[in-house]
Amino acid sequence: MANRTDFRSDNVTGAAPEILAAITRANQGSATPYGEDALTESVEARLQEVFETDCAVFPVATGTAANALSLSVMAPAYGAIYCHELAHVNVDECGAPELFTGGAKLVVMSGAGAKISAADLADRLARSGKGNVHQVQAAAVSITQATELGAIYKPAEIAAIAEAGRPFGVRLHMDGARFANALAGGKASPADMTWRAGVTALSFGASKNGALAAEAVVLFDRNLAQEFAFRRKRAGHLFSKMRFLSAQLEAYLTEDLWLKHARHANGMAKRLADGLARVTGASFAAPVEANEIFVSLPEPLILALEREGFLFYRWDNAQLLRLVTAWDTDPADVDRFLAVAARHAGAAA
Amino acid sequence: MANRTDFRSDNVTGAAPEILAAITRANQGSATPYGEDALTESVEARLQEVFETDCAVFPVATGTAANALSLSVMAPAYGAIYCHELAHVNVDECGAPELFTGGAKLVVMSGAGAKISAADLADRLARSGKGNVHQVQAAAVSITQATELGAIYKPAEIAAIAEAGRPFGVRLHMDGARFANALAGGKASPADMTWRAGVTALSFGASKNGALAAEAVVLFDRNLAQEFAFRRKRAGHLFSKMRFLSAQLEAYLTEDLWLKHARHANGMAKRLADGLARVTGASFAAPVEANEIFVSLPEPLILALEREGFLFYRWDNAQLLRLVTAWDTDPADVDRFLAVAARHAGAAA
Amino acid sequence: MANRTDFRSDNVTGAAPEILAAITRANQGSATPYGEDALTESVEARLQEVFETDCAVFPVATGTAANALSLSVMAPAYGAIYCHELAHVNVDECGAPELFTGGAKLVVMSGAGAKISAADLADRLARSGKGNVHQVQAAAVSITQATELGAIYKPAEIAAIAEAGRPFGVRLHMDGARFANALAGGKASPADMTWRAGVTALSFGASKNGALAAEAVVLFDRNLAQEFAFRRKRAGHLFSKMRFLSAQLEAYLTEDLWLKHARHANGMAKRLADGLARVTGASFAAPVEANEIFVSLPEPLILALEREGFLFYRWDNAQLLRLVTAWDTDPADVDRFLAVAARHAGAAA
Amino acid sequence: MANRTDFRSDNVTGAAPEILAAITRANQGSATPYGEDALTESVEARLQEVFETDCAVFPVATGTAANALSLSVMAPAYGAIYCHELAHVNVDECGAPELFTGGAKLVVMSGAGAKISAADLADRLARSGKGNVHQVQAAAVSITQATELGAIYKPAEIAAIAEAGRPFGVRLHMDGARFANALAGGKASPADMTWRAGVTALSFGASKNGALAAEAVVLFDRNLAQEFAFRRKRAGHLFSKMRFLSAQLEAYLTEDLWLKHARHANGMAKRLADGLARVTGASFAAPVEANEIFVSLPEPLILALEREGFLFYRWDNAQLLRLVTAWDTDPADVDRFLAVAARHAGAAA
């Protein structure tokens, strides 16, 4: 691992050696293209084990593709998709869900920690005009796990959201770009966190957590699979040399590499947050439940950290920082960050 | 290279060692995501050298994405895109151009070798209802180089097509999934084959010719670049860890690996075709100009080849075979194929 | 009726007095908007009588809306819609079917009289790649009755087309912009011509045959109705003051006005065609089965007719004329046209 | 006028006699279809006079079509359209703007009286991520005049909104379904209210104010006209017998019928509001500036009014009523409504 001090995002990381090795291993002879290969079958089987259920699995290369394609088989063009106003699908995908659904409407909700509540959803759905021809029709709700502010939905919260949607025929999508991070800290199983709680489709992320570029769409309702296959191809997201996506996912799932990575990332976030909690002037904007920290620091301290070469984003261009740890974060980097902070916090105070 | 005898397509191949090595090399430390990294900049610079001109370069992972996104900045939703009826954009992309353009119409033409002619295009455009509000408006023409039947457009043919489109404001897209193969055999430069002949946008293929999954959209009209950037993201084709796409392209372009690969593939096709020409009952459906062979063989011979473990597609489920050679085709496999053919052709006759 | 000699199209005509009177009658007091009024209900009931079956009826104002909205509930975005290359949906709607379906592909076929044949369709469907993820999926076939060249499908021909589609899940749409004209000449009932022959959705035209602007989409499969309602609204084709569309249709259906109009138009076409058959140099490009005549005439004769003030279109800008008669065509105009033709044909010969 | 007591909406009304008469007058002889007729030209000329400027005019039949088509030439598929959360384009068009733009995103804002403010817009645009490839790009803002809560934007407010958008290339659309009502009460000219204040495109409503079904899209930027023409046709909103739409608009504009109607409707609203202000327990939710009243009444009073045969909508299904007056509202009906209210309010108190 290079000497880096980059807390901007978990997508600034490279690929884990196990995953690169798997790609090299997969590079043997010819293979039937477009996912008709043994590795791709194997990934589906593995995810069925992980989730303890039958499910259809579609590898894609980006989180935006995983999310928008999932939603495209859950909402008609005249449908409405409920989500938090900070949801990646709403603010960071340049309208991909709208493109792939043929123009469905994202209806935004608010809520602390970038989480929506079942009660709010129930209220919104009650007033959504179901059956009223003038209004887009509630079709899906999308939640992010862990959320864009680093919070985690508990299985009971997820189940309540699914329950709120059910009377309206509203299905539940989970953007799991950081699904491993959400799972790593707790006792819930992958099944508890998803289909047992009523999730219909999951974007199962790997890119942020050690892969080069791989995500798996997991459809717990197999009836959606055929349409998904056509929509994936139509969107240019069906890879000819699919084995190289599948190899990444295979290695990611082998010996719980995905959870090991996530535990490391979460542990580094905790170490960083614990240290910052002792820094004068530090104030957390959200509880740290996964691998993201939202913390306000005094401006002189921020400038000092930047001078020392640390990379991070200022949230809304102000003194609120987002610090993201990852599967490869070096504890020494965390400690160095904390040392600089401690030193300059004293000076700043 | 594994012991394989797979002539189904050039997308059954794996990745070249130089390209895998480049990915490993790129896996150092953190990198700014979404293409703001040094490797991606370098790929643009290299392609500008290759094409001897300024141009905007956008790496994507699939040929369908490259084609459909290119067309999406060349034709409005009410536009018409002219192409051969066998064009990949028309028959093998499940409607991706229609999705990304918002519903533009592909207007199909015929022509030997899956090539369209400038004269036919001129004729079609003259009757296309330019300015007539009832008809979709001619906006683009897409040609494939090399074509789906393995033929190659000469620069003068390309220029004539571009010329035919110009009075109607019709711009020229080239699907270059096998651009290297088209170039390898002749004396035309990359520039001669594209912008000097009037090409506005090129899908510069690499996946079929040694990459894992990498193509570059090359826009010779920089005015299209900004819109392209938004449309690529919106389609889920902007990779966070872009360096891994760019590393493939970088290696692909280094020391003319792309042309070396293509020359090998074309050479293998010639060797195979020359041998088949001596087989009793063999009849070529198209001249062999790149790395694809379309040949009819007697049914007993086909069955014999299948029994011997050779893989290939029957075109239209009949006795017309498509045989595709690739950057990694083993001459011994070609010779073995020819030996089996010679032996059984005698038996068949 | 004004003194006019306009054979350009049946859409150059005005509205029938019965239909204007019905609009005036409907203009009493307030009415529940958006089709929840008594007149609209009544139109549905009347069309159920006309077609001798249960069906869902949706008034719209243009033929393009009727066609494209019908197709939008019959084909998914990744679907294929088969039609004749001259079909209105293909050449005269500026891509409306593509817009409303979210980018489905119109696959064109040829055939004399702008008719497609069941055999050709069966052949195309057999090669359509059903289930192949790379290809758009055959979903619907659209035929025009009477066709764009004035020919009429017999019920048995329609049934054969529907039959060809059935194994592929392909449903049949009929563009009946001139449905009345197709029906007027023969013995088939409206039911024979549509659902009994396997038609799923009909665009039942009125605008060309005496209405101001009114068409009815008739869905013989009620399962399509709910989605249709949302798509109609979403397309801006749900009228607030729906009663004024419905009033037109109500009058159109009263005392068989629609058939009376069509019989007149067809009779005028026959009178004109019979006369032209006796003109030296006249040559018919298609049999005259409804209210359209496609006839080649000597250039001097055409010029003479133009000088005399007759209006008509030159088909493909040549000596092939399209002459369209309508519900209000004056026999005296037809006879005057024939007299001029006879006089100048002699001169031309 | 029938004896009616319908305050549900101004779209429950019929057509004005002058407008019906104009339709009858237009029904003379044949006319070139699709808007190439003299009446349609004349409507454009008249609107140019009304607005004291050159502008392109496109008649359509519904407000949803007018709005969504206007927006479709102002925002790309990856664009964002800012509007009030109660805007008709956002809640009452079943996603028509999303359909016609190819999936642009409506970004909603709040504000009293269903008005947005320039300051809020400026704030939102500053944080909109202009140029950021991950976010939809601010392209247009749509305001409703009069608003969905019956309020009116002053020219200075409109100009400020346009001004806020200008640095971001954001253009201003005005949904003028009740444009006449907004204009009728004040001193601003049509030009002051639109292009002089920076409006690019106006949906000029007539259906709610005396037409059968007619609206005019007025484009103050002629550069948008060509694209608009194709998009209108592609959406099925180009009428063949256009003269009948144009006749309505012609009569609507003749001798200021449109303003006369609006003054009457507004006057009736004032009469009704003034009366209600004296009713015990009545509480206005918004100032009454045009022809809509939002008033809370005691439940027993509401029930009494319903028993007496008055029709109106309960807003959000509660005790807040929306009462809409129209061009044909009978003062006697207003007075009767007030009499019932006075009588039962006493009883209710």
Side-chain angles (χ1 to χ4, degrees):
Chain A
M1 199 178 312
N3 180 19
R4 71 179 185 73
T5 52
D6 194 336
F7 294 107
R8 285 179 297 175
S9 177
D10 30 13
N11 65 22
V12 303
T13 61
E18 295 89 339
I19 286 175
L20 271 188
I23 287 176
T24 302
R25 256 196 325 276
N27 194 32
Q28 299 298 324
S30 75
T32 302
Y34 299 116
E36 306 288 312
D37 61 282
L39 256 176
T40 303
E41 273 176 47
S42 158
V43 165
E44 184 165 270
R46 261 185 197 275
L47 279 166
Q48 289 170 348
E49 277 170 44
V50 164
F51 286 99
E52 305 172 55
T53 190
D54 186 43
C55 54
V57 172
F58 293 88
V60 295
T62 70
T64 295
N67 288 336
L69 286 172
S70 295
L71 293 171
S72 79
V73 297
M74 300 173 75
Y78 53 89
I81 299 164
Y82 289 76
C83 65
H84 193 278
E85 57 194 340
L86 295 179
H88 197 271
V89 292
N90 188 50
V91 293
D92 289 310
E93 302 187 352
C94 200
E98 287 90 344
L99 172 62
F100 288 170
T101 57
K105 185 188 283 285
L106 272 66
V107 180
V108 298
M109 303 171 61
S110 52
K115 288 165 72 173
I116 62 170
S117 77
D120 282 358
L121 180 64
D123 180 56
R124 294 294 288 263
L125 291 175
R127 295 181 290 119
S128 73
K130 196 73 181 178
N132 178 342
V133 78
H134 302 279
Q135 298 188 244
V136 288
Q137 296 296 294
V141 56
S142 180
I143 59 176
T144 310
Q145 179 77 318
T147 75
E148 288 75 8
L149 291 181
I152 298 177
Y153 285 97
K154 291 187 175 51
E157 293 172 316
I158 298 166
I161 288 169
E163 187 62 30
R166 202 160 290 129
F168 295 87
V170 166
R171 287 183 291 194
L172 180 51
H173 167 254
M174 179 178 281
D175 173 356
R178 295 189 181 96
F179 184 70
N181 302 96
L183 211 62
K187 290 172 183 166
S189 72
D192 293 341
M193 200 73 113
T194 56
W195 64 272
R196 278 200 198 114
V199 170
T200 296
L202 168 70
S203 300
F204 178 82
S207 300
K208 290 184 196 299
N209 195 30
L212 282 83
E215 317 277 312
V217 170
V218 182
L219 301 177
F220 297 108
D221 178 354
R222 271 209 173 271
N223 294 321
L224 304 177
Q226 189 184 30
E227 181 176 348
F228 191 95
F230 290 113
R231 290 196 181 270
R232 179 176 60 168
K233 171 64 199 184
R234 176 174 176 75
H237 285 291
L238 176 62
F239 278 48
S240 55
K241 300 184 179 179
M242 181 69 86
R243 55 173 148 168
F244 294 117
L245 282 188
S246 299
Q248 296 178 58
L249 292 166
E250 176 80 8
Y252 186 63
L253 295 168
T254 297
E255 293 179 14
D256 284 349
L257 183 66
W258 62 301
L259 292 171
K260 195 183 100 184
H261 278 180
R263 277 192 292 264
H264 177 81
N266 289 8
M268 291 297 101
K270 187 168 186 322
R271 184 182 190 122
L272 186 52
D274 287 351
L276 286 170
R278 290 186 297 268
V279 170
T280 309
S283 158
F284 291 86
V288 177
E289 300 179 6
N291 65 322
E292 295 189 289
I293 298 171
F294 291 83
V295 63
S296 290
L297 294 179
E299 185 66 25
L301 201 164
I302 297 173
L303 296 174
L305 288 162
E306 289 174 344
R307 270 197 313 273
E308 296 277 345
F310 291 102
L311 299 174
F312 44 78
Y313 287 125
R314 290 175 180 242
W315 213 241
D316 275 343
N317 301 314
Q319 286 165 252
L320 178 61
L321 309 188
R322 186 181 78 157
L323 303 170
V324 188
T325 56
W327 61 277
D328 68 346
T329 298
D330 189 337
D333 283 339
V334 170
D335 294 344
R336 202 160 59 80
F337 186 99
L338 290 173
V340 172
R343 194 162 65 241
H344 286 277
Chain B
M1 200 176 313
N3 180 17
R4 70 180 187 72
T5 52
D6 195 335
F7 295 107
R8 286 179 297 174
S9 177
D10 31 13
N11 66 22
V12 303
T13 61
E18 295 88 339
I19 286 175
L20 271 188
I23 287 176
T24 302
R25 258 198 323 277
N27 194 32
Q28 300 298 324
S30 76
T32 302
Y34 299 115
E36 305 288 313
D37 61 282
L39 256 176
T40 304
E41 273 177 46
S42 158
V43 165
E44 184 165 272
R46 261 186 197 273
L47 279 165
Q48 289 170 348
E49 277 170 44
V50 164
F51 286 99
E52 305 172 56
T53 190
D54 186 41
C55 54
V57 172
F58 293 88
V60 294
T62 70
T64 294
N67 287 337
L69 286 173
S70 294
L71 293 172
S72 79
V73 297
M74 299 173 76
Y78 53 90
I81 299 164
Y82 289 75
C83 65
H84 194 278
E85 57 194 339
L86 294 180
H88 197 271
V89 293
N90 187 49
V91 292
D92 290 310
E93 302 188 353
C94 199
E98 287 89 344
L99 172 62
F100 288 170
T101 57
K105 187 188 283 286
L106 271 67
V107 180
V108 298
M109 303 172 61
S110 52
K115 288 165 71 171
I116 62 171
S117 78
D120 282 357
L121 179 64
D123 181 56
R124 293 294 287 266
L125 291 175
R127 296 181 290 118
S128 72
K130 197 72 182 179
N132 177 342
V133 78
H134 301 280
Q135 299 188 242
V136 288
Q137 296 296 294
V141 57
S142 179
I143 59 176
T144 309
Q145 179 77 317
T147 75
E148 288 76 8
L149 291 181
I152 298 177
Y153 285 97
K154 290 187 175 53
E157 292 172 316
I158 299 167
I161 288 169
E163 187 62 31
R166 202 160 290 128
F168 295 87
V170 166
R171 287 183 290 195
L172 180 51
H173 167 253
M174 178 178 281
D175 173 356
R178 296 190 179 94
F179 184 72
N181 302 95
L183 211 64
K187 290 176 183 164
S189 71
D192 293 341
M193 201 72 112
T194 56
W195 64 271
R196 276 198 199 116
V199 171
T200 296
L202 168 70
S203 300
F204 178 81
S207 301
K208 290 183 195 300
N209 195 31
L212 281 84
E215 317 277 311
V217 170
V218 182
L219 301 177
F220 298 108
D221 177 354
R222 272 209 173 270
N223 293 321
L224 304 178
Q226 190 184 29
E227 181 175 349
F228 191 95
F230 289 113
R231 290 195 180 271
R232 179 176 58 168
K233 170 66 200 184
R234 176 174 177 75
H237 285 290
L238 176 61
F239 278 47
S240 55
K241 300 185 180 178
M242 182 69 86
R243 55 174 147 168
F244 295 117
L245 282 189
S246 299
Q248 295 178 59
L249 293 166
E250 177 80 8
Y252 187 63
L253 295 168
T254 297
E255 293 179 14
D256 283 349
L257 182 67
W258 64 301
L259 293 171
K260 194 182 101 186
H261 278 180
R263 277 191 293 263
H264 177 81
N266 289 8
M268 290 298 101
K270 188 170 186 321
R271 185 182 189 123
L272 186 51
D274 287 351
L276 286 170
R278 290 186 298 269
V279 170
T280 310
S283 158
F284 291 87
V288 177
E289 300 179 6
N291 64 323
E292 295 189 289
I293 298 171
F294 290 83
V295 64
S296 291
L297 295 179
E299 184 66 24
L301 200 163
I302 297 174
L303 295 174
L305 288 163
E306 289 174 343
R307 268 197 314 275
E308 296 276 346
F310 292 102
L311 299 173
F312 43 77
Y313 288 125
R314 288 175 180 243
W315 212 241
D316 275 344
N317 303 314
Q319 286 166 251
L320 178 60
L321 308 188
R322 185 181 79 156
L323 303 169
V324 187
T325 55
W327 61 276
D328 68 347
T329 297
D330 189 336
D333 283 339
V334 170
D335 293 346
R336 202 160 60 81
F337 187 99
L338 291 173
V340 172
R343 193 161 67 240
H344 287 276
Chain C
M1 201 178 314
N3 181 17
R4 70 179 186 75
T5 52
D6 194 336
F7 295 108
R8 285 179 297 175
S9 178
D10 30 13
N11 66 22
V12 304
T13 62
E18 296 89 338
I19 285 174
L20 270 188
I23 286 176
T24 302
R25 258 198 323 277
N27 193 32
Q28 300 298 324
S30 76
T32 302
Y34 300 115
E36 305 288 312
D37 61 282
L39 254 176
T40 304
E41 272 177 46
S42 158
V43 166
E44 184 165 271
R46 262 186 196 273
L47 279 166
Q48 288 170 348
E49 277 170 44
V50 165
F51 286 99
E52 305 170 56
T53 189
D54 186 42
C55 54
V57 172
F58 294 88
V60 295
T62 70
T64 294
N67 288 336
L69 286 173
S70 295
L71 293 172
S72 79
V73 297
M74 300 173 76
Y78 52 90
I81 299 163
Y82 289 76
C83 65
H84 194 278
E85 59 195 337
L86 294 180
H88 197 270
V89 292
N90 187 50
V91 293
D92 290 311
E93 302 187 352
C94 199
E98 287 89 343
L99 172 62
F100 288 170
T101 57
K105 185 188 282 286
L106 273 67
V107 180
V108 298
M109 303 172 61
S110 53
K115 288 165 71 172
I116 62 170
S117 78
D120 282 356
L121 179 64
D123 180 57
R124 293 295 287 265
L125 290 175
R127 296 181 290 118
S128 74
K130 197 74 181 177
N132 176 342
V133 78
H134 302 279
Q135 297 187 246
V136 289
Q137 295 297 294
V141 57
S142 179
I143 60 177
T144 309
Q145 179 77 317
T147 75
E148 287 76 7
L149 291 181
I152 298 177
Y153 285 96
K154 290 186 176 52
E157 292 172 316
I158 298 166
I161 288 169
E163 187 61 31
R166 203 160 290 127
F168 296 87
V170 166
R171 288 184 290 195
L172 180 50
H173 168 254
M174 179 178 280
D175 173 356
R178 295 189 180 95
F179 184 72
N181 302 96
L183 212 62
K187 289 173 183 167
S189 72
D192 294 341
M193 201 72 113
T194 56
W195 64 271
R196 276 198 199 116
V199 170
T200 296
L202 168 70
S203 300
F204 178 82
S207 300
K208 290 183 196 300
N209 195 31
L212 282 82
E215 318 277 312
V217 170
V218 183
L219 300 178
F220 298 108
D221 178 355
R222 272 209 173 270
N223 293 321
L224 303 178
Q226 190 185 28
E227 180 176 348
F228 191 95
F230 290 113
R231 290 195 180 270
R232 179 176 59 169
K233 171 64 200 186
R234 176 174 177 76
H237 285 290
L238 176 62
F239 278 47
S240 55
K241 300 185 179 178
M242 183 68 86
R243 56 174 148 168
F244 294 117
L245 283 189
S246 299
Q248 295 178 59
L249 293 166
E250 176 79 9
Y252 187 63
L253 296 168
T254 297
E255 292 178 15
D256 284 348
L257 183 66
W258 63 301
L259 292 170
K260 194 182 100 185
H261 278 180
R263 277 190 294 264
H264 177 81
N266 289 7
M268 289 299 101
K270 187 169 187 322
R271 185 183 190 122
L272 186 51
D274 287 351
L276 286 170
R278 291 186 297 269
V279 169
T280 309
S283 157
F284 291 87
V288 177
E289 301 179 6
N291 66 322
E292 296 189 287
I293 298 170
F294 291 84
V295 64
S296 291
L297 294 178
E299 184 66 24
L301 199 164
I302 296 174
L303 295 174
L305 287 162
E306 289 174 344
R307 270 197 313 276
E308 295 277 346
F310 292 102
L311 299 174
F312 43 77
Y313 288 125
R314 289 174 181 243
W315 213 241
D316 274 343
N317 302 314
Q319 286 166 251
L320 177 60
L321 307 187
R322 185 181 79 158
L323 303 170
V324 187
T325 56
W327 61 276
D328 68 346
T329 297
D330 189 336
D333 283 339
V334 170
D335 294 344
R336 202 160 59 80
F337 186 100
L338 291 172
V340 172
R343 192 160 69 240
H344 287 276
Chain D
M1 200 178 315
N3 181 17
R4 70 178 186 75
T5 53
D6 195 336
F7 295 108
R8 286 179 297 175
S9 177
D10 30 13
N11 65 23
V12 304
T13 62
E18 296 89 337
I19 285 174
L20 270 188
I23 287 176
T24 302
R25 255 196 328 275
N27 193 33
Q28 300 298 324
S30 76
T32 302
Y34 300 114
E36 306 287 313
D37 61 281
L39 254 175
T40 304
E41 273 177 45
S42 157
V43 166
E44 183 165 272
R46 261 186 197 273
L47 279 166
Q48 289 170 347
E49 277 171 43
V50 164
F51 286 99
E52 305 172 57
T53 190
D54 186 42
C55 53
V57 172
F58 293 88
V60 294
T62 69
T64 294
N67 288 337
L69 286 173
S70 294
L71 293 172
S72 79
V73 298
M74 299 172 77
Y78 52 90
I81 299 164
Y82 289 76
C83 65
H84 194 277
E85 57 195 339
L86 295 179
H88 197 271
V89 292
N90 188 49
V91 293
D92 290 310
E93 302 187 353
C94 199
E98 286 89 345
L99 172 62
F100 288 171
T101 57
K105 186 189 282 286
L106 271 67
V107 180
V108 298
M109 303 171 61
S110 53
K115 288 165 71 173
I116 62 170
S117 77
D120 282 357
L121 179 64
D123 180 56
R124 294 295 288 264
L125 291 174
R127 296 181 290 120
S128 72
K130 197 74 182 178
N132 177 342
V133 79
H134 302 279
Q135 298 188 243
V136 289
Q137 296 296 295
V141 56
S142 179
I143 60 177
T144 310
Q145 179 77 317
T147 75
E148 287 76 8
L149 291 181
I152 298 176
Y153 286 96
K154 292 189 174 51
E157 293 172 314
I158 298 167
I161 288 169
E163 187 62 32
R166 204 160 288 127
F168 295 87
V170 166
R171 287 183 291 195
L172 181 51
H173 167 253
M174 179 178 280
D175 172 355
R178 296 190 179 96
F179 184 72
N181 302 95
L183 211 62
K187 291 173 181 166
S189 71
D192 294 340
M193 201 71 112
T194 55
W195 63 271
R196 278 200 197 114
V199 171
T200 297
L202 167 71
S203 300
F204 178 81
S207 301
K208 291 183 196 299
N209 195 30
L212 282 83
E215 317 277 311
V217 171
V218 182
L219 300 178
F220 298 108
D221 177 355
R222 273 209 173 270
N223 293 321
L224 303 178
Q226 190 184 27
E227 181 176 348
F228 191 94
F230 289 113
R231 290 195 180 271
R232 179 175 60 168
K233 171 65 200 184
R234 175 173 177 75
H237 285 290
L238 176 62
F239 278 47
S240 55
K241 300 184 179 179
M242 182 69 86
R243 54 174 148 167
F244 294 118
L245 282 190
S246 299
Q248 295 178 60
L249 292 166
E250 176 80 9
Y252 187 64
L253 295 167
T254 297
E255 292 179 15
D256 285 348
L257 183 65
W258 63 301
L259 292 171
K260 194 182 103 187
H261 278 180
R263 277 191 294 263
H264 177 80
N266 289 8
M268 290 298 101
K270 189 170 185 319
R271 185 182 189 122
L272 186 51
D274 288 351
L276 286 170
R278 290 186 297 269
V279 170
T280 310
S283 158
F284 291 87
V288 176
E289 301 180 5
N291 65 322
E292 295 189 288
I293 298 170
F294 290 84
V295 64
S296 291
L297 294 179
E299 184 66 24
L301 201 164
I302 297 174
L303 295 173
L305 288 162
E306 288 174 344
R307 270 197 313 273
E308 296 276 345
F310 291 102
L311 299 173
F312 43 78
Y313 287 125
R314 289 175 182 243
W315 213 240
D316 274 342
N317 302 314
Q319 286 165 251
L320 178 61
L321 308 186
R322 186 182 77 157
L323 303 170
V324 187
T325 56
W327 62 276
D328 68 347
T329 297
D330 189 337
D333 284 338
V334 170
D335 294 344
R336 203 160 59 80
F337 186 99
L338 290 173
V340 172
R343 193 161 66 240
H344 287 274

